Every structure is written in C-alpha cells, then in structure tokens.
Amino acid sequence: MTRSLSSIARLAPWSRQTEAPLGELAANFASTPSPADTTDPSALSFDGLRQQAIAHAQAASGELWTDYNLHDPGVSLLEVMCYALTEDIYSNERSVPELLGLDQAASAQDWQDYALHPAPAVLHCRPCSEDDYQRSLHEMLPGARQLNIRALRDASGTGLGLWRLSLLGSAAPKPSSPGAAMPTAPDQAHAQARSLARAYWSQRNLGEDLQGMPQALRPRWLEIDLQIQVQGSRDLLDLLGEAMLRCDDLIAARPQRQAVNASKGLRDPDDEGGPPQSLGRIDDATLQQGRAPQLYLSDLARRLSALEGVAGLPRLSLRVDGATVTDAMLDWRGSDWALALRWPSSPADLQGWRVYRQGSASSAGSPGSDQSYLREENRVQIPVDALLRHLRDVQTARRPLQALQPLAAQIAGPSATPPSALRAQAHASYYPASQQLPYIYQQQGPGRLQWTGYLALLEQWLAQAKAQAEHLPQLYAISAATDKEKSAKHGGHSHMSGAQPSYWWALLRDAELPGMDSLYLDSPEALEAQLSAAADDKHERQMRVLNHLLALHGEALDFSELQGLPCYFGPEAWAAHLLSRKQEMAAHVLRFTASRHAAFDYSRRSIAQGTDSNTSSNTSVLQQRLSLQLAFAHSHSRPLCGALAPLEALGLDFNEAAATLTLKLNRQRPTASSTRSHHGPQLRAQDLRLSQAPDWPALIQHIPALRGPQLPAVLRAAVWPEHFEFASTDQGAISLLLQLPDEQLTLAQAKDLAAAQDLALQLHSADCQLQRDCEGLHLVEHVLLRPEQDAELDKLPPFFSHQISLVFPAWTARCADARFRALARQLAMQAAPAHLHCRLLWLSLAQMKQFERLYQTWLIAKIDHCQAALASSEDPARQATASVRLNQRAQALAEFLQTCEAAP
C-alpha cells in the first residue's frame, strides 16, 4: 500500500527526486529534528515530508513507539498525510489569478472586484502641466483645431491657478461663386467652445479654474497651390487627399501621434505615464511646435515631402485672404483669429495645382474648360470632378469634434459601476486522503470508531485547507458576498449565514468518514456555529487583506489614531464600519491614486439630498480621502445639518454659547455622588441598537432635559456609555443620571433599574446615530469665489489664490475633541497638494446652518451660470443675469469664510 502511495506522490512537482527506500526506519533520528528548510524543494517532496514526519514522531514518543515499519498503522497515516500535503503544495503553487478563480473568460469587472487593474489604468494620471492638459484635451476632443491652453500668472510669474482656453471656431467654407454670401456658423463655434469647457470641467484639479469660457477664434483662410513630383504606383487621388490632410493637421495645430506598439503590451514602453493617450502618443516637440507664433512654409514642405510616393515639391505657394504669401513664414494666430485651411471646392481652386511624374507634368484642369480631362502629350491627366469628390470625402471622413469618454473614466475604467457580485464557483466535495489506504483499514470492527477518530485528526485538517483555498476569492474580494453566495453549498454542508466570514468550515460527515456523525457531541451545524464564533475574527483578518491590496497601489488607511475617541458604534459594529471604509477606498483605489488631486465638476450637482448618494462621484478626492481616514459614515458631499431638522421640528433647540464649542469631555468614568446610592451594571458599548430607528418623540417625553438649554452638552456626553449613572430615590424609584463636564445632570426617573437602563440605552443609541449622521466635512476652493472681472486678476487678493477651506461641525462629540481636531489637521496637511494652503474651520450649529445655506445657494448659482454659458444660442441677458447672481453669492460666501477663525 505504501509503495503505491509513494508512486502517486511522485506525480507532484516537488516529489520528482530519487526516492529513498520506503522501508527505511527512523532509528538514526534520536534527537529532536530541526525545522525543515522549505527553500529546498526536496524538503517538500513526499520522501522529504515522510522523513521529517517519522523523525518528529520518534522524538515525541520516545520508547512508546518504536515500530516504524510499513505494516504499522501509524506509519500508514503519516504517509497518507505526506501524500495529501504534496497535493496541497502543488495546489497552492498556482498563480494568483488561478487562486482567485480568474481565467481568460474573466471580465474586467471580475478583476476589479479584487482591486486588480491593468497597467495603463494604474500608471496614468490626471493632467497637471500645460503639456498634460494639451494632451488630455486633444484626447477628449481629437478634432479640435488650434486648441491651446495657457496658465495665467501674476507680475512675478507665479501661477494663479487659472487657465485660459481657446480653439478655432467652425471653419465655414468660402463662397464658391462671386457675390455669394459668406456662410457663418456661430452655433457650431459656440458648440465647440462648449465641448472644450465640458472637457476641462470634467478634469479640473483642486484649487484651479477656467478663466471665462473658451474663446472661439475666427478662421483666417489660407489656400494652397501644389506642384508635386510623384513616383511609384500609388494612386494620385489618394496621395493628394493625404497631402491635404497633412497640411490641414499642421495649419490647425493638431499634434502628430505615435501609434501605440500593441505587440509589446497594453502600454507603450516609451510612455512615461501622464494622461491616457489611447489614440496615440504625443511627444513634447510636437506640442511645442503647435504653440509657436509663426507658421513656416518649410514645415509644410517637410511634411509633404515625407509622404509615400512624393519624389519632390517643385513649388508650394500660399494665399491668405486672397493675397499671395511672399515670406517664408506667417503669423499662425492672433488675439481673436487663427489660420484655417480652405479645401478646394471648385475647379477654380485647382487652377494652380500641378502633378509631375518622372519629369512630365499634368495639369489638374483650368476654369472654363469644356473637358473633364486635360489631355497634354506625355502628362498624366487627373479628372477634376473625381479629385474634388475625393477631397470632399476625405474631409468628411475626418473625425468630427466630439467629447470622448471623460478622462476620469479613461483612468478608472468601468470601476465607476458598483462592484459586481462574485462569480459563483462550483466547489467539489472533499475526497478523503484515507481512501488511498488498503481495504483492510476501511472494514468495520470493534475499534472502528476509534480508527475513525484517528483519521478525523488528519482528514479534518486537510478538509479545512481545501475549504480555505476554494474560498480565497470571497476573502480577497473588496465587496461583501451576496446573501445568495453566503448560503451557497460547499461539500454538501451549508455555510454560515450573516456577516461574511474569513474562515470557512468543512466539518466531516458520514459521507466522507463513515461513523463521523456519531462522534460529534453536538449537531454538526451547532458545532460549526460555535467554531466560527470563537475562532473567526473576520474583520481583523479582512482588514489585513485590504491593507495588502491597498499597499499594492502605494496606499494605506490607518485607524489607530482614532482609538480612544467617540466612535458611535459598538465594538463589533465599529470593526465592521472601519472595514467598510477600507473597502470603499479599495473599490475606488484608482481614483485615490491617479486622480488624487481631482476637484469636483461645478457644472453638475454635487450635494446629495437625504439618502441620495448619486453625487458621490462628483466629490473632490481630497474630501473623500479625509472622510475615509476620519471614518465618517459618508464620504460624499451632503448637508450636515439635515439630520437635525426632524428634531428641530419637535421643538428641540440646539443653540449653545460659544464657550462650549471646544468642550473637552472627560472619558474617565464619572465619580459617584456621595449623596446617592449607585447601581450597576453600567451601559456597554456593544449594547448599541443602531439597527433600530430612534424614537425621539418618546425620548423627549420621558427625558425632559432634552428640551432644556443643556441639550448640546447632553448629546455630546450621551455618546459615552460610561457617563450614565443610576441612583435610588427616597421613593424607591431609579434616577437616570448623566455626567457632564461640570455637573451631574438628572435626566429622568424610572420605576426600576431595568427601565432606567433601557431608557439610557435608547438615548445612547439614538444620540450615536444622530452624531454619526451629523459628521462630515465640506471643501471650498477659494479660487472659485473670485470676482469674474478679468481686469482685477493682477490684483487678486491672496485669499482667492491657492487656498481651500475644510469646514467641519464643531458640535459633535468627536469634532469637539481636541485630539480629533489635531488628527484632522495632520491628515489634511499630509493629503492636500503641497501648493495649497488648508484652512480648517470648526463651526457651531448656527454657523454651519448659515454656511450651508450660503454654500448651496452659491452652488446653484454656479450651475445656472454654467448652463447659461452652455446654452445652444447666445443669450447675453441670461448670461449677464447669471453672472451677477453668481458674483453676489460668491462674495457672500467669501465674506463668511473670511470672518470665520481658522484652527491653528
């Protein structure tokens, strides 16, 4: 039997060494063996494992076990275990995708469920410099002409965080006949400016803005007369069409692109990161050429000479507004205009065109000619109508100006959608290794149950290892498994329901080991529940998994500094909440890395109302990062005073004196009053009832102190369960007490201790939910509040340049704690871009209400201003009204922020 097992074991990759005789005894191993060197493959082979197992058995048993021959059942069990281990080693040597159940059929979303992304998505980032923005805007608007972005600077050359954009307006054709009216296209030009504005707003960086709408430059027409010498067999119509395309690209300042080398992977090896360039890489030299003030005829000639089939360029002449250009260069653009190539549209436009082949010339036609072909001896004749049709087709086929996928989506890919449910995987039932034993070991007998117990010590361990390996996808997934997956069958046994586990159990039953069910002291289901509850610290283990996934992207989310501060959760719920914060960061890790300095798009709604979180993708990344680092319940923008509105409707007054805003609560248990007899036990944090909706009307009815002036202090103290005390009264009732910083307040009286504790627990739970919903932050970029007048840019006050305000509530228990405020400032300094100055404001409830009213009205005015600018037709009155309203509301918000004292 053992020889057959050894033969099977040799199939494992680690067991391909020369096998020692199976009958070798362990008599030479008298001392305790040293740990095996797992770096040596032979140590993990069947023979190496068997040798180590027998040596350990001899060292542990001494003289109690001396027979290590093949007939000994103990040796047989050791060999079965060694054989099973080689199988496990082989299985665990699979690649990471295989261990996670990812194969060639896996979709991109399947990979993103584990925070695994392709290299281009990880290495690319949002634009920062002028060159980056130029590349990014050309990627989003590939048909743009004369597109230019320029950073505005003060007199000292320091950037103001403002950009100015321009592009060529719609290039309407020149009238084809004398006396015809010149077609105009203001709507098309305005549409191009709108597309460019949307493109910038979608990728705006923190502390930056666009100064005014993009300028639509009027076209200044340029015509070309070509005389080309060609060679080879290339079709002349195709050659002339490409020649016009190259001239058009250069005159329109469209950058040339280098094709991505797909044979070397998804990413061009010459690509050093920066914004995505899926249409081809744009090098720095090309960008700099497009910004030059003059257009050189030599550059045009060089592009045409590089065409396949062009042997020479005898003559190249240009006409601007009908006048022939005599200089070697001409101005490329002016303050309100830019050069635009006029394509031939009639036979008259081709009068000066000549094509030469091997020394012979061919005229493309002449106006007034009755013939479609000009027949001259020894010259190639080109049909004029065919050439004009071909040029129209080439011009029409040019990619139109349109907004492509937003840059954020290009970086993050399809991860903006919610993580998909893990793919259901069929798990095979456990096959006992002991089935390899000879038939004699499987026969029934007096000692059968004892033998089954011995086998269970081996088989249960192997079954557990198999269950863990099969469920690695659930352990490493960044989103919790669905209820359907939680109740999936594995090996014939149902999994635990409820929270996602990190250890999976596969208790052996009679199907695997006959007689196993009779050995259990309790039902297998009850035993599985006991084992899971006692041994599975699922939150801690999944935290470590997420730490590893975040570290792969250079990120970390450490909550150690939050220990000792109010958390508004019980211990188990607090661990689950922190886990959810890490899951959110892992699910959007590309946004926190490649787009870490991204700002919100002010042309779209950004403040969520109620439970709506659809605006979460339109929140600045810095705000989301700080919200996750501080373990706020929500990371998106939302009104922080909204949770108090239902209580204020019940008559509760949350106003308080300014002196109590920086209240520091003593976290130690209050000292008992000497005049009262106190009862225990105290409230416990794990007794929180966060799953129940608080009944505030009932609490207000039973606790009169909630209607008093000390309500804010009561709510800050009630989040600490140890601040509640219970005392007997002379009438035999129980008083519910709450320790405030300066006094002990009687909240209510109850008939007995149980009723008082239940009332305290209701207040504690309701208060924790209330303060959790009130916590969050707002991020205000001062540059967005600047006056709109261009003339005052040089005199822009420092308040509007490179500054942001982070606005926190001061009335909650955590935000009132000096330790929490110091931590918030430390995290803000670490996470914010280095060139931005962060002001941390801690506002009272009254101040926060005023701020949110001003902030939301400004956001609405900003959206209205953008919509007026993006209107399909020019409406000066509407735009003027929107600008006046925006300036008024921006001024009011800026004045409010300037009156607030920033935290030191």
Side-chain angles (χ1 to χ4, degrees):
M1 182 278 301
T2 52
R3 292 187 182 274
S4 63
L5 283 177
S6 302
S7 300
I8 296 173
R10 278 199 289 270
L11 297 177
W14 295 118
S15 60
R16 294 172 183 170
Q17 294 80 26
T18 303
E19 182 183 4
L22 291 176
E24 179 181 354
L25 301 179
N28 295 329
F29 300 93
S31 59
T32 302
S34 59
D37 182 9
T38 56
T39 61
D40 180 12
S42 63
L44 300 178
S45 67
F46 175 81
D47 296 327
L49 292 171
R50 182 184 183 278
Q51 187 181 51
Q52 297 171 50
I54 292 179
H56 280 284
Q58 185 182 27
S61 62
E63 299 297 328
L64 297 179
W65 184 13
T66 59
D67 187 1
Y68 296 99
N69 291 307
L70 299 181
H71 63 267
D72 188 89
V75 174
S76 296
L77 284 178
L78 286 178
E79 291 191 342
V80 170
M81 181 182 70
C82 294
Y83 159 68
L85 281 176
T86 59
E87 295 299 304
D88 279 352
I89 292 170
Y90 170 75
S91 176
N92 291 330
E93 285 298 316
R94 291 178 296 170
S95 65
V96 170
E98 288 178 322
L99 290 172
L100 296 178
L102 298 172
D103 51 27
Q104 294 182 350
S107 65
Q109 186 63 59
D110 292 330
W111 287 82
Q112 291 170 19
D113 285 338
Y114 305 102
L116 300 175
H117 303 272
V122 174
L123 296 175
H124 287 306
C125 65
R126 294 172 68 90
C128 296
S129 64
E130 287 185 358
D131 287 351
D132 284 347
Y133 268 117
Q134 198 83 15
R135 290 188 178 94
S136 178
L137 292 173
H138 275 294
E139 180 77 12
M140 302 175 70
L141 302 171
R145 309 155 74 87
Q146 295 285 358
L147 191 154
N148 186 51
I149 185 169
R150 179 169 56 90
L152 302 184
R153 306 181 183 277
D154 60 15
S156 65
T158 303
L160 299 173
L162 299 173
W163 301 88
R164 194 181 298 279
L165 280 168
S166 63
L167 81 166
L168 183 67
S170 179
K174 179 182 176 182
S176 57
S177 60
M182 172 71 75
T184 59
D187 289 342
Q188 291 87 337
H190 191 57
Q192 294 174 3
R194 294 200 307 268
S195 297
L196 187 57
R198 290 194 188 98
Y200 174 82
W201 293 337
S202 68
Q203 56 181 326
R204 190 178 63 86
N205 290 326
L206 200 64
E208 299 180 0
D209 193 19
L210 187 62
Q211 182 62 23
M213 285 290 290
Q215 181 184 13
L217 303 174
R218 62 178 178 85
R220 188 179 181 191
W221 297 111
L222 182 147
E223 299 173 88
I224 293 181
D225 286 337
L226 290 176
Q227 290 190 10
I228 300 178
Q229 183 179 3
V230 299
Q231 62 184 359
S233 59
R234 184 176 181 183
D235 182 75
L236 291 182
L237 296 182
D238 179 65
L239 189 150
L240 293 175
E242 186 177 353
M244 287 298 296
L245 279 178
R246 292 205 175 190
C247 292
D248 188 50
D249 285 343
L250 179 60
I251 295 171
R254 290 194 190 99
Q256 289 182 302
R257 299 178 183 271
Q258 301 174 5
V260 175
N261 191 346
S263 63
K264 296 185 178 181
L266 296 176
R267 179 173 175 264
D268 188 348
D270 295 329
D271 191 352
E272 300 178 354
Q277 301 180 66
S278 61
L279 301 178
R281 185 172 179 270
I282 304 174
D283 58 25
D284 295 338
T286 301
L287 289 178
Q288 296 303 325
Q289 183 186 29
R291 294 198 185 100
Q294 283 88 26
L295 172 65
Y296 291 86
L297 271 67
S298 59
D299 291 336
L300 272 175
R302 190 178 300 110
R303 286 208 178 185
L304 293 176
S305 300
L307 275 173
E308 179 186 358
V310 174
L313 199 66
R315 180 173 175 268
L316 175 64
S317 63
L318 305 180
R319 297 190 303 274
V320 177
D321 294 337
T324 302
V325 177
T326 58
D327 296 332
M329 62 181 182
L330 66 159
D331 290 338
W332 209 333
R333 59 186 66 85
S335 59
D336 64 344
W337 61 268
L339 291 179
L341 178 63
R342 178 182 176 269
W343 288 56
S345 59
S346 67
D349 298 331
L350 297 174
Q351 183 178 7
W353 285 44
R354 293 289 185 275
V355 177
Y356 297 86
R357 183 189 294 276
Q358 298 177 348
S360 62
S362 172
S363 173
S366 61
S369 175
D370 296 332
Q371 298 177 344
S372 299
Y373 295 84
L374 295 176
R375 300 192 178 103
E376 295 183 20
E377 187 176 357
N378 298 325
R379 291 184 182 180
V380 178
Q381 297 181 1
I382 301 176
V384 174
D385 293 341
L387 177 57
L388 292 176
R389 284 196 303 269
H390 181 71
L391 292 180
R392 283 196 299 268
D393 293 341
V394 170
Q395 190 177 14
T396 303
R398 164 68 68 181
R399 184 189 296 268
L401 176 61
Q402 57 183 350
L404 296 183
Q405 188 181 24
L407 180 72
Q410 295 183 51
I411 294 176
S415 61
T417 59
S420 64
L422 298 178
R423 291 184 299 165
Q425 300 181 12
H427 303 306
S429 300
Y430 174 69
Y431 181 77
S434 58
Q435 294 291 331
Q436 298 291 334
L437 290 172
Y439 180 71
I440 188 174
Y441 288 102
Q442 303 176 24
Q443 302 219 346
Q444 301 294 330
R448 178 61 190 174
L449 287 181
Q450 183 180 8
W451 175 247
T452 300
Y454 284 134
L455 288 180
L457 296 177
L458 164 68
E459 299 286 5
Q460 185 61 66
W461 179 78
L462 296 175
Q464 285 301 109
K466 180 177 182 295
Q468 287 300 106
E470 289 180 340
H471 286 87
L472 281 179
Q474 284 89 331
L475 177 62
Y476 276 84
I478 57 178
S479 59
T482 62
D483 292 338
K484 181 178 180 180
E485 290 164 338
K486 292 178 183 178
S487 59
K489 300 291 183 178
H490 170 62
H493 314 307
S494 61
H495 284 289
M496 293 287 298
S497 60
Q500 173 77 356
S502 67
Y503 287 106
W504 283 267
W505 305 91
L507 290 181
L508 298 176
R509 305 293 295 271
D510 285 345
E512 291 82 24
L513 286 179
M516 191 65 203
D517 285 359
S518 62
L519 295 180
Y520 290 127
L521 299 180
D522 204 342
S523 67
E525 292 76 15
L527 182 59
E528 186 175 333
Q530 296 171 13
L531 290 172
S532 177
D536 189 4
D537 188 359
K538 51 183 174 293
H539 295 124
E540 190 275 337
R541 191 159 183 248
Q542 291 173 353
M543 278 277 202
R544 288 189 278 117
V545 169
L546 288 173
N547 288 341
H548 175 67
L549 290 175
L550 291 175
L552 293 177
H553 295 271
E555 288 290 342
L557 196 57
D558 182 18
F559 298 119
S560 59
E561 296 294 331
L562 295 176
Q563 304 305 320
L565 293 169
C567 64
Y568 319 131
F569 293 91
E572 184 75 9
W574 176 239
H577 175 68
L578 295 182
L579 177 64
S580 71
R581 302 297 81 200
K582 287 198 176 184
Q583 287 175 330
E584 181 174 341
M585 173 168 275
H588 305 284
V589 66
L590 292 185
R591 179 168 169 79
F592 289 102
T593 53
S595 302
R596 63 187 308 120
H597 51 283
F600 78 107
D601 183 353
Y602 50 68
S603 67
R604 300 189 294 116
R605 189 164 64 92
S606 59
I607 296 289
Q609 300 293 336
T611 59
D612 176 29
S613 60
N614 293 329
T615 60
S616 58
S617 61
N618 195 26
T619 301
S620 67
V621 176
L622 177 59
Q623 180 175 343
Q624 289 184 310
R625 178 184 292 273
L626 292 176
S627 297
L628 294 179
Q629 289 176 321
L630 296 173
F632 289 151
H634 305 280
S635 61
H636 58 275
S637 297
R638 61 191 182 88
L640 302 182
C641 299
L644 300 176
L647 303 185
E648 291 177 325
L650 296 175
L652 298 188
D653 184 8
F654 292 91
N655 295 320
E656 58 182 342
T660 65
L661 290 181
T662 57
L663 177 66
K664 297 181 180 179
L665 296 176
N666 181 6
R667 195 175 184 278
Q668 303 299 322
R669 180 173 175 174
T671 304
S673 172
S674 59
T675 61
R676 296 179 183 271
S677 173
H678 291 262
H679 296 267
Q682 299 297 314
L683 289 184
R684 301 176 304 170
Q686 54 265 37
D687 295 330
L688 272 175
R689 302 171 181 173
L690 296 181
S691 60
Q692 301 178 4
D695 188 358
W696 282 104
L699 285 173
I700 295 173
Q701 180 180 357
H702 290 93
I703 305 177
L706 294 178
R707 291 188 177 275
Q710 294 174 308
L711 173 62
V714 168
L715 293 179
R716 276 197 293 268
V719 298
W720 298 104
E722 54 265 42
H723 279 257
F724 287 95
E725 293 286 347
F726 310 93
S728 300
T729 65
D730 296 338
Q731 294 78 18
I734 301 297
S735 293
L736 174 59
L737 311 174
L738 182 65
Q739 184 67 40
L740 300 183
D742 301 322
E743 63 175 318
Q744 196 173 52
L745 179 67
T746 300
L747 296 179
Q749 291 189 354
K751 61 180 180 179
D752 54 30
L753 181 60
Q757 290 178 332
D758 184 71
L759 186 59
L761 185 59
Q762 290 184 46
L763 176 59
H764 175 54
S765 301
D767 187 24
C768 285
Q769 292 192 49
L770 176 64
Q771 303 223 20
R772 179 195 63 192
D773 294 337
C774 286
E775 283 194 345
L777 69 102
H778 295 287
L779 189 152
V780 183
E781 303 169 63
H782 294 189
V783 69
L784 302 182
L785 306 180
R786 72 192 185 283
E788 289 292 323
Q789 292 79 4
D790 293 352
E792 299 183 2
L793 285 181
D794 293 338
K795 301 178 182 179
L796 197 65
F799 175 82
F800 297 104
S801 181
H802 303 309
Q803 290 198 43
I804 59 175
S805 288
L806 301 173
V807 183
F808 295 86
W811 67 86
T812 65
R814 280 207 307 173
C815 292
D817 195 297
R819 296 168 298 169
F820 183 82
R821 295 189 177 189
L823 175 62
R825 179 166 185 79
Q826 175 187 348
L827 294 175
M829 296 301 104
Q830 293 173 352
H835 68 286
L836 295 182
H837 173 66
C838 297
R839 301 172 71 245
L840 271 69
L841 305 178
W842 302 89
L843 305 186
S844 67
L845 179 58
Q847 290 174 314
M848 183 64 77
K849 287 182 177 180
Q850 182 181 1
F851 164 78
E852 290 190 340
R853 182 174 63 255
L854 294 173
Y855 185 51
Q856 293 196 53
T857 55
W858 172 78
L859 286 175
I860 295 173
K862 191 70 174 176
I863 294 175
D864 292 342
H865 183 264
C866 293
Q867 291 177 346
L870 296 176
S872 58
S873 59
E874 296 281 354
D875 189 348
R878 178 185 176 185
Q879 294 180 9
T881 302
S883 295
V884 171
R885 185 186 303 113
L886 176 62
N887 284 333
Q888 292 175 346
R889 296 181 178 179
Q891 181 181 0
L893 180 57
E895 291 175 352
F896 174 83
L897 293 176
Q898 288 174 311
T899 59
C900 296
E901 181 180 357

